[in-house]
């Protein structure tokens, strides 16, 4: 019998399904019944049948329509999250696009949230088209360029793509009519989204194939998705044409923005996870001394060392675990622990570098190619977080290195513990090594040698996202393993902020007493990292430590000393 794991608040519930033709709405209510069953006050839910909820996949956060059948949208052992509808909508806000001030953070939140006008294209650029055939030219362009293949982008990523296209067209340099732009905004605000295959762009004159599919749906052809209809025939939605809709790099940029934001989130949480592992392996915090890192003052390295001190400093947060081995005879720790500031630090610098490029690209009139080597750089950089994490997982699981039970479980042999979880981490790291091959070195000539040096930025963006996801999963496994290691050091306690992180993990995953189905545990902790809950728990302690060290430092407004005249008001476009 198929079964699905449903996340409600801080609990994971297994829900068997006898009939796959049942709807997502049935699955949600069935999970809510199980959630309230063993709660003394029904979990604060008075009547399950009166609850209005939103269902979404845990992986990728794709929204699920309540009327869809389970067999059509889920697979056996899929993970689903149920959120109160009012809570899901409370975080939404209006965003104004002016073509100049959109950031990668804004764009990711939205996902939850004259050439070619009278001539041919590419090889046919010198062929003049009669005026009476211009409409046919524009329609033919969109249809012929809609040649992508593969699975569609998720609705969230398609919303990002459409929002970014609107932002670029709002600059007024692409030859689009105001009427067409307004209709695109209407489509966005209604979440009427085209079927956009993820494969098919070489990053030449932008993402021609993906953006053509985006335009095709807006023309009323192909497929479109909306919250009410799901995937349906696009002719019932809209009808828009034109080159201005397809000539740009918005798919590369929107996926790149998501990769950057997720990389930034996992990078700072990697510091917290590594600090717990160092505690469990009875390492020393002396390697993070500020005087040491001042001798090589790379910004990321300085920042990471400060975070480790904030989490491990014995004067601020005494650790019984650290005190238990203060006078041991170990000279120094392995690189994977003592060199975290150097390794994690350069990853942070790489992410910052890439984010600046993405934010510039977001607010540029990108109707022709730009080389996206930065996304190759991002993938290579962020991969290091997984590579060093996998080595720390090995140290946690290896009794000769950890002084803990083999694979972090009692009765080894009868129980395998974290043996295969470590193998999973190793396989993800190995896969990342292949994905980190730079796509930008694979330029191929296209369009009859008119576009004879292309960026391959679409693949760079897609594989960067895959690398980031693998990094998240590897670090989720390390966090699980580190918290399991703490179980064998009890009753000793670690520092206050790290105990708070331990409590957070234990709110969704129980200690490993004997072997059990492990995938839900990994997915639950992965969800914590995606939601940045690990960072949210530790951040106040890090900020307090930093402010106590530098009481005189206060944030200064970047405009405080500006001598530039105020910018002239620009027309802004409102997205809901």
């Amino acid at each position: 019998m198929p079964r699905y794991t449903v996340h409600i608040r801080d609990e994971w519930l297994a829900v068997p399904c006898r009939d796959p033709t049942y709807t997502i709405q049935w699955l949600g209510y069935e999970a809510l019944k199980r959630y309230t069953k063993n709660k003394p006050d029904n979990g604060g839910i008075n009547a399950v049948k009166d609850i209005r909820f939103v269902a979404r996949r845990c992986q990728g956060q794709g929204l699920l329509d309540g009327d869809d059948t389970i067999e059509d949208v889920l697979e056996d052992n899929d993970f689903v999250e149920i959120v109160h509808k009012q809570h899901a909508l409370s975080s939404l806000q209006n965003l104004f696009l002016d073509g100049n001030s959109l950031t990668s953070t804004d764009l990711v939140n939205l996902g939850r949230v004259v050439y070619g006008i009278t001539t041919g294209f590419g090889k046919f650029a010198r062929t003049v088209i009669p005026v009476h055939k211009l409409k046919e030219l524009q329609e033919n362009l969109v249809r012929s360029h809609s040649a992508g293949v593969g699975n569609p982008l998720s609705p969230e990523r398609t919303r990002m793509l459409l929002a970014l296209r609107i932002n670029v067209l709002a600059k007024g340099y692409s030859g689009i009519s105001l009427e067409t732009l307004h209709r695109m905004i209407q489509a966005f605000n209604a979440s009427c989204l085209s079927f956009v295959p993820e494969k098919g762009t070489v990053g030449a004159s932008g993402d021609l194939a993906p953006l053509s599919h985006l335009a095709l749906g807006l023309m009323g052809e192909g497929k479109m998705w909306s919250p009410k209809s799901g995937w349906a025939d696009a002719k019932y939605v809209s009808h828009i044409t034109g080159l201005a809709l397809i000539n740009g790099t918005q798919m590369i940029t929107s996926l790149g923005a998501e990769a950057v934001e997720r990389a930034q989130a996992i990078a700072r949480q990697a510091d917290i996870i590594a600090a717990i592992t160092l505690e469990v392996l009875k390492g020393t915090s002396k390697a993070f001394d500020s005087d040491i890192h001042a001798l090589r003052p790379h910004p990321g390295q300085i920042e990471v060392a400060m975070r480790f001190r904030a989490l491990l400093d014995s004067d601020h947060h005494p650790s019984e675990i650290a005190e238990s081995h203060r006078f041991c005879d170990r000279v120094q720790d392995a690189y994977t622990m003592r060199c975290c500031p150097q390794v994690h630090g350069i990853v942070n610098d790489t992410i910052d570098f890439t984010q600046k490029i993405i934010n510039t690209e977001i607010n540029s009139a990108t109707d022709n190619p730009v080389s996206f080597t930065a996304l190759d750089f991002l993938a290579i950089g962020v991969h290091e977080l997984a590579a060093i994490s996998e080595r720390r997982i090995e140290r946690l699981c290896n009794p000769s290195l950890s002084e803990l039970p083999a694979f972090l479980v009692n009765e080894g042999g009868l129980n395998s513990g974290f043996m295969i979880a470590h193998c999973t981490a190793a396989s993800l790291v190995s896969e990342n090594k292949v994905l980190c091959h730079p796509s930008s070195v694979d330029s191929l000539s296209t369009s009859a040698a008119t576009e004879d040096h292309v960026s391959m930025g679409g693949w760079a963006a897609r594989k960067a996202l895959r690398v980031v996801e693998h990094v998240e999963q590897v670090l989720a496994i390390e966090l699980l393993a580190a918290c399991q290691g703490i179980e064998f050091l009890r009753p000793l306690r670690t520092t206050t902020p790290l105990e708070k992180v331990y409590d957070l993990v234990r709110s969704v995953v129980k200690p490993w007493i004997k072997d059990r189905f492990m995938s839900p545990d990994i997915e639950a902790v992965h969800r914590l990292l995606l939601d940045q809950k690990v960072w949210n728990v530790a951040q106040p302690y890090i900020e307090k430590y930093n402010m106590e060290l530098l009481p005189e430092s206060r944030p200064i407004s970047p405009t405080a000393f500006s001598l530039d005249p105020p910018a002239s008001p620009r027309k802004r476009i409102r997205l809901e």
Side-chain angles (χ1 to χ4, degrees):
M1 180 186 302
R3 54 193 295 125
Y4 306 92
T5 303
V6 182
H7 185 222
I8 299 179
R9 292 178 178 168
D10 289 327
E11 290 192 20
W12 292 86
L13 305 157
V15 180
C17 177
R18 294 188 302 273
D19 187 347
T21 62
Y22 287 166
T23 64
I24 293 295
Q25 186 175 39
W26 173 89
L27 179 65
Y29 282 128
E30 188 67 20
L32 284 166
K33 289 176 187 176
R34 291 168 181 264
Y35 175 80
T36 59
K37 184 176 181 180
N38 298 319
K39 295 285 188 300
D41 61 346
N42 290 330
I45 298 174
N46 296 323
V48 168
K49 62 182 177 60
D50 293 333
I51 292 292
R52 296 294 176 264
F53 60 84
V54 172
R56 59 193 181 199
R57 284 190 182 85
C58 290
Q59 187 68 34
Q61 291 289 282
L63 293 175
L64 297 169
D65 192 292
D67 294 330
D68 283 342
T69 62
I70 292 173
E71 64 181 353
D72 286 342
V73 295
L74 295 179
E75 296 182 6
D76 192 11
N77 290 322
D78 251 350
F79 296 87
V80 176
E81 184 175 30
I82 300 298
V83 182
H84 195 285
K85 197 165 189 178
Q86 183 175 1
H87 173 74
L89 295 176
S90 64
S91 61
L92 297 179
Q93 57 185 352
N94 292 336
L95 186 68
F96 293 90
L97 301 183
D98 58 10
N100 296 288
S101 53
L102 186 65
T103 67
S104 57
T105 304
D106 294 332
L107 184 59
V108 171
N109 288 337
L110 276 174
R112 301 175 198 186
V113 243
V114 176
Y115 154 88
I117 303 301
T118 59
T119 70
F121 306 90
K123 180 69 173 177
F124 303 115
R126 296 183 181 180
T127 304
V128 177
I129 308 299
V131 174
H132 69 277
K133 290 191 175 182
L134 291 183
K135 182 176 183 295
E136 181 182 357
L137 165 69
Q138 298 290 302
E139 292 174 344
N140 287 346
L141 170 72
V142 173
R143 291 166 182 151
S144 66
H145 285 42
S146 296
V149 296
N151 294 326
L153 297 178
S154 67
E156 294 79 13
R157 288 175 179 167
T158 308
R159 271 177 64 86
M160 289 170 58
L161 176 61
L162 181 55
L164 186 52
R165 194 67 191 131
I166 292 169
N167 188 61
V168 169
L169 295 174
K171 296 181 75 70
Y173 298 116
S174 301
I176 192 171
S177 71
L178 191 59
E179 178 188 0
T180 299
L181 189 56
H182 282 160
R183 294 178 71 181
M184 291 176 68
I185 295 166
Q186 291 171 356
F188 179 91
N189 288 338
S191 286
C192 294
L193 308 170
S194 302
F195 184 101
V196 181
E198 63 181 5
K199 300 177 183 179
T201 180
V202 295
S205 287
D207 299 313
L208 291 180
L211 290 177
S212 294
H213 282 278
L214 183 71
L216 189 70
L218 297 173
M219 284 170 54
E221 299 182 20
K223 293 181 180 179
M224 291 192 82
W225 180 93
S226 73
K228 294 182 178 180
S229 67
W231 290 112
D233 196 317
K235 66 183 179 182
Y236 300 111
V237 181
S238 187
H239 184 81
I240 302 176
T241 64
L243 171 64
L245 296 181
I246 72 172
N247 213 37
T249 60
Q250 280 67 59
M251 178 176 146
I252 299 172
T253 311
S254 60
L255 296 184
E258 182 183 348
V260 164
E261 290 297 312
R262 287 175 63 174
Q264 192 171 64
I266 195 59
R268 58 192 182 191
Q269 292 177 110
D271 299 341
I272 301 164
I273 295 168
I276 300 176
T277 296
L278 183 135
E279 274 282 273
V280 171
L281 295 176
K282 298 182 178 178
T284 177
S285 62
K286 292 180 180 178
F288 313 122
D289 187 273
S290 59
D291 291 339
I292 296 174
H293 296 281
L295 299 175
R296 184 191 280 169
H298 294 292
Q301 179 177 331
I302 295 291
E303 178 72 14
V304 171
M306 183 279 293
R307 288 177 188 164
F308 271 83
R309 293 195 302 274
L311 296 168
L312 298 169
D313 187 84
S314 58
D315 292 335
H316 285 74
H317 313 292
S319 165
E320 295 174 351
I321 295 175
E323 189 65 26
S324 71
H325 61 88
R326 173 180 288 191
F327 302 107
C328 70
D329 57 0
R330 184 185 300 171
V331 177
Q332 63 183 9
D333 296 321
Y335 280 173
T336 51
M337 294 187 288
R338 64 185 169 96
C339 292
C340 281
Q342 290 86 345
V343 178
H344 290 202
I346 196 62
V347 174
N348 281 268
D349 291 340
T350 302
I351 294 168
D352 289 345
F353 169 82
T354 308
Q355 187 176 45
K356 289 175 183 176
I357 291 178
I358 290 291
N359 283 341
T360 299
E361 191 70 10
I362 283 174
N363 295 292
S364 300
T366 55
D367 288 347
N368 264 296
V370 67
S371 181
F372 264 74
T373 56
L375 291 174
D376 289 330
F377 185 33
L378 176 68
I380 294 169
V382 77
H383 160 69
E384 282 299 311
L385 295 178
I388 197 171
S389 174
E390 182 274 329
R391 289 292 81 204
R392 291 193 297 261
I393 297 170
E394 155 69 11
R395 301 189 77 84
L396 287 165
C397 292
N398 189 332
S400 65
L401 300 174
S402 68
E403 301 178 4
L404 299 171
F407 302 110
L408 301 171
V409 70
N410 289 319
E411 295 188 86
L414 175 63
N415 295 303
S416 297
F418 280 70
M419 179 188 294
I420 304 304
H422 171 239
C423 290
T424 298
S427 73
L428 292 170
V429 169
S430 182
E431 188 172 332
N432 271 2
K433 293 175 183 177
V434 177
L435 292 171
C436 284
H437 173 76
S439 62
S440 52
V441 304
D442 284 335
S443 176
L444 292 170
S445 178
T446 61
S447 194
T450 302
E451 296 156 355
D452 56 352
H453 187 81
V454 299
S455 70
M456 303 304 293
W459 175 226
R462 283 170 40 228
K463 68 186 184 66
L465 265 174
R466 285 176 62 183
V467 168
V468 172
E469 182 178 38
H470 292 166
V471 171
E472 294 165 348
Q473 291 165 335
V474 171
L475 281 159
I477 293 171
E478 182 187 354
L479 181 53
L480 271 175
C483 288
Q484 180 65 15
I486 288 178
E487 306 298 339
F488 296 104
L489 302 179
R490 293 301 194 206
L492 300 179
R493 295 176 64 81
T494 181
T495 65
T496 301
L498 297 185
E499 284 289 342
K500 294 291 185 182
V501 175
Y502 168 87
D503 292 341
L504 172 68
V505 173
R506 287 291 170 250
S507 72
V508 297
V509 175
K510 297 177 181 178
W512 196 269
I513 306 302
K514 62 180 182 179
D515 281 355
R516 63 173 187 259
F517 183 22
M518 183 173 270
S519 286
D521 291 356
I522 297 173
E523 181 60 36
V525 175
H526 185 202
R527 181 77 258 158
L528 293 179
L529 296 175
L530 282 173
D531 293 340
Q532 302 190 53
K533 290 187 177 180
V534 171
W535 173 251
N536 292 339
V537 165
Q539 182 185 20
Y541 296 94
I542 295 172
E543 289 185 347
K544 182 180 179 182
Y545 176 87
N546 199 24
M547 294 303 292
E548 288 177 356
L549 283 183
L550 304 169
E552 72 282 358
S553 66
R554 293 290 184 270
I556 300 175
S557 170
T559 61
F561 304 104
S562 174
L563 299 179
D564 296 331
S568 59
R570 299 180 65 90
K571 187 168 184 176
R572 300 188 298 174
I573 295 172
R574 172 172 163 174
L575 295 187
E576 297 174 354

